[in-house]
Amino acid sequence: MAKKSAIPSLVGVVHLPPLPGAPRATGSASAVVAQATRRAIDEARALERAGFDALVVENFGDAPFYKTTVPPVTVAAMSAIACAVRAATRLPLGINVLRNDGFSALAIALVSGASFIRVNVLSGIAATDQGLIEGEAARLLREREATRALGGPRVAIWGDALVKHARTLSVDDVELAVEEVGSRSLADAVIVTGATTGRAIGSSRLEVASHAARKIRKPLYLGSGVTPENAGEVAGFVDGVIVGSALRRGGLAGAPLETRRLGVFE
């Protein structure tokens, strides 16, 4: 399924373990970051060898998540890890700071040389397990332009439409949601998902999202529930897939990568 192009089609997710300050982190901050860095590099290299086209590094182990602004220690840790991953692989790198800190993700991307960030709630209002989250596309895109004026690279923004683990309080029609994220919030790519991590999206819903994305000429990614069994079925509806849980032991998010699961997505 993988192909080399300007738009990565097969994107692997590097689930970081708990970072300094997170409830499940153990040991000194420096030791935690060193261990997380080694694991992230190993996963990134494994994904590159398996033929993936891009990577996303996210602080999955930091649950429960802050809904917007993460602490400075998280930004520092993710910056150090992202820089190490960027140096260890030639793949384009993305950053996702959970739950919805697009501004920190942008800063980490700028210092690490990452190509894109993922923002779960770029548009509208979502009721989540972290509380109500409001999209801040206006501020985030202007922040990106301000960094470009200072000589920084252009970091692409991938935004979710009707993101998982949330209930929208805005538009709940998937076609309109894709249009809002892609056309009104000006995301460079749109992501659709199932209801939660690892759950597949309904086929009719995916077809509608695909039609909407093509109409506004924005790349569409499927961000959950992609498995070796259904990858071929969804390929015709999306420009790429973001795979995390299906690559891991037992199909569980955050578990170690299993080598035997990597090659089946090629």
Side-chain angles (χ1 to χ4, degrees):
M1 180 170 185
K3 63 183 179 183
K4 304 302 179 184
S5 69
I7 300 174
S9 63
L10 187 55
V11 183
V13 183
V14 174
H15 288 157
L16 297 179
L19 300 177
R24 292 178 292 177
T26 58
S28 68
S30 60
V32 168
V33 172
Q35 182 180 16
T37 301
R38 288 192 295 271
R39 173 171 163 173
I41 289 174
D42 288 344
E43 291 195 0
R45 286 174 171 165
L47 291 166
E48 184 173 31
R49 289 193 299 269
F52 280 69
D53 300 308
L55 307 170
V56 175
V57 171
E58 67 178 30
N59 56 324
F60 186 85
D62 282 353
F65 305 116
Y66 291 91
K67 67 178 181 179
T68 51
T69 307
V70 300
V73 68
T74 303
V75 180
M78 290 191 69
S79 296
I81 295 167
C83 285
V85 170
R86 185 72 184 86
T89 175
R90 294 172 293 178
L91 297 180
L93 177 63
I95 306 294
N96 187 19
V97 181
L98 300 167
R99 169 63 154 145
N100 201 59
D101 194 348
F103 297 95
S104 290
L106 178 61
I108 295 165
L110 288 169
V111 301
S112 66
S115 302
F116 63 95
I117 64 173
R118 179 177 182 176
V119 182
N120 290 168
V121 184
L122 183 65
S123 171
I125 303 175
T128 75
D129 51 318
Q130 293 79 35
L132 295 180
I133 300 179
E134 296 185 35
E136 294 193 89
R139 287 185 56 220
L140 182 60
L141 268 72
R142 285 165 174 78
E143 179 72 13
R144 179 179 68 177
E145 294 311 304
T147 62
R148 292 185 69 197
L150 296 175
R154 185 186 187 280
V155 177
I157 297 174
W158 295 13
D160 282 80
L162 304 179
V163 69
K164 58 190 175 181
H165 295 285
R167 176 176 294 179
T168 182
L169 300 182
S170 303
V171 58
D172 58 3
D173 178 275
V174 65
E175 180 177 11
L176 294 180
V178 169
E179 292 177 1
E180 296 255 311
V181 174
S183 292
R184 291 176 62 83
S185 293
L186 303 183
D188 298 288
V190 180
I191 303 169
V192 290
T193 65
T196 64
T197 298
R199 282 190 167 87
I201 189 172
S203 57
S204 60
R205 188 182 179 92
L206 179 59
E207 186 174 358
V208 171
S210 177
H211 174 77
R214 288 171 181 170
K215 186 167 64 174
I216 62 174
R217 298 183 180 180
K218 291 294 176 77
L220 182 70
Y221 285 85
L222 180 54
S224 75
V226 182
T227 66
E229 292 74 26
N230 67 15
E233 298 173 15
V234 304
F237 295 104
V238 296
D239 297 279
V241 296
I242 303 171
V243 190
S245 304
L247 304 175
R248 300 178 178 278
R249 185 180 301 161
L252 298 176
L257 286 181
E258 279 194 338
T259 304
R260 67 180 181 83
R261 291 176 175 263
L262 299 182
V264 297
F265 284 94
E266 285 196 71

